[in-house]
Amino acid sequence: MAIVTALAFVRLDAQTNSPTVRPSTVATIIGENRNIFDSSDPTPGWVANLANGLHVRTRHWVIRRRLLLNPGDPFDPARLEESERALRTLGVFRSVRVDTVRSQPGDRLAVRAVTSDGWSTQPQASYTTVGGDKTWEVGFRERNFLGTATELALVYGENPDRNRLDFTFINQHFVGRRALMQLKYAALSDGNQGEWVLGMPFHETAAPHSLITYGQTADERVLSFRDDSLILTQWHRLVRVGITGGIALKPNTHSYNRLWAGWEWRREDFADSGTTPFPRSLFTTVRAGIDLGSVRFRVLEHFNSYARREDVDLSPSLRLGAVFESGIGYEALARASVVWNRGFVLAQVGTGGGLDSTRTRAGVTAVSQNLERHTLILHAEGGLLTNPKPGREFDPWLEQRGPRLFGIHDFTGTRMTWFVLEDRILLVDDVLGLMALGLAPFVEYGGAWYADEPARQGGNAGMSLRFGPTRAVRGEAAELAFGYRFGQGVKGKRWAVSLRKGFSF
């Protein structure tokens, strides 16, 4: 991959569809990978120089592997746009732009990828408090180890239920250009968990096939709560391995029709601590089905993060499958969207499970950026569980899908709802080139409860201060929220403060 320095190009951005030049075949690939800071940034010189000096810039072969166009390929605007999304998905850049250029009209077509690295070395230190419940973490996370887009993390954290030490390794091109390797292990104060994934997913819309193997182990204590009280403590032992794959029917860059199937072997048991001998139950599960969909993405700014373009997947899709495990179960997922110039509505519903246990969840999200510096979000969702495994009940605090000023386990159960209206207002997009600030007035209502009790819900209304990094590889916003609580779930004071990661929609 060549490095662009100072060349004059005639830009043929695929989105502009210039009528005077019709690109046909890609002649070459040109790359420009910028560091965290450049000469145009307002950040103080010593800060920028120190950050650039400590950071290992993303390797050019990493960028090249994510591009879906090669020299000699017919030019496809959809594949160009998907290449840009694939680079953003790596999670190591703060800015990505992929377009087409010619040095002079009539010259050969070149695909140009311009990226800017983000700060990827992150000492982990976070603190969350909601309704008197405190969660904190310390550790180290490197999302771009030696410039290879490999994530390594070692993080220790505590919450009201347990403490844990987490290790993570993720490489999105472990073997060749597309194969994924993911390893996770957690040493808990009351057990341990581990999981691995290795294989090649559908890395692009036109990918002809996928094949993934996976596994999981657990030897842990699980807790079940009801109305903020612990009602069940059991020990959970799990070993499972599986393989899943699919083939595309008539693959293309605009839509997909895929047949998929999977096989899984699992040993899983729940029992009281100290039970001897511990139960030993074995299960074999076979799944098969079809995925249908078309590609629809919107690129937004100031939605869930700051100072970066975010790909929002609005693709209409349908997934239907059968589950065979001592009988026949099912799974289904449907998505639909409506899009306008500066907003969208996305609706989705999913359901599935075995003969005894099912999980159904539906939601709708409406987003409008028609007012300058405002992102108005309206979201509603609901869920239903039948015969869930111990510890798998809905808990909006743990899932971060419920009223933000309530504490851990204030709402738990097999039914859940959440409604939120929030206006994210951008105040300052660039403070010393390092962070951005915003305000978000909000009102929300929701909760969780069991089928044999009345609906248990609560609400809050208030204001949050949102802040997030502009130079980090990921710009997730944190929020300091203050507001008034109401409803059945209120315990203690009506006015409350929370400090936690911001909601993502």
Side-chain angles (χ1 to χ4, degrees), residues 306 425-429 431 435-439 465-468:
Y306 291 109
I425 307 168
L426 176 65
L427 296 180
V428 183
D429 200 22
V431 180
M435 66 179 302
L437 297 174
L439 289 176
L465 172 66
R466 290 171 53 85
F467 48 95

Side-chain angles (χ1 to χ4, degrees), residues 4 7 9 11 28-32 67 80 97-101 110-114:
V4 176
L7 297 177
F9 288 111
R11 185 170 180 270
T28 187
I29 307 294
I30 301 171
E32 179 182 356
L67 297 178
L80 187 83
R97 186 70 182 189
V98 180
D99 57 18
T100 54
V101 294
V111 170
R112 179 178 63 175
V114 181

Side-chain angles (χ1 to χ4, degrees), residues 230-244:
L230 180 64
I231 60 171
L232 179 65
T233 299
Q234 284 194 309
W235 207 259
H236 176 219
R237 291 183 180 176
L238 167 69
V239 178
R240 69 169 184 154
V241 294
I243 184 170
T244 182

Side-chain angles (χ1 to χ4, degrees), residues 449-461:
W449 64 96
Y450 289 87
D452 60 353
E453 65 177 338
R456 179 177 169 81
Q457 302 174 95
N460 36 231

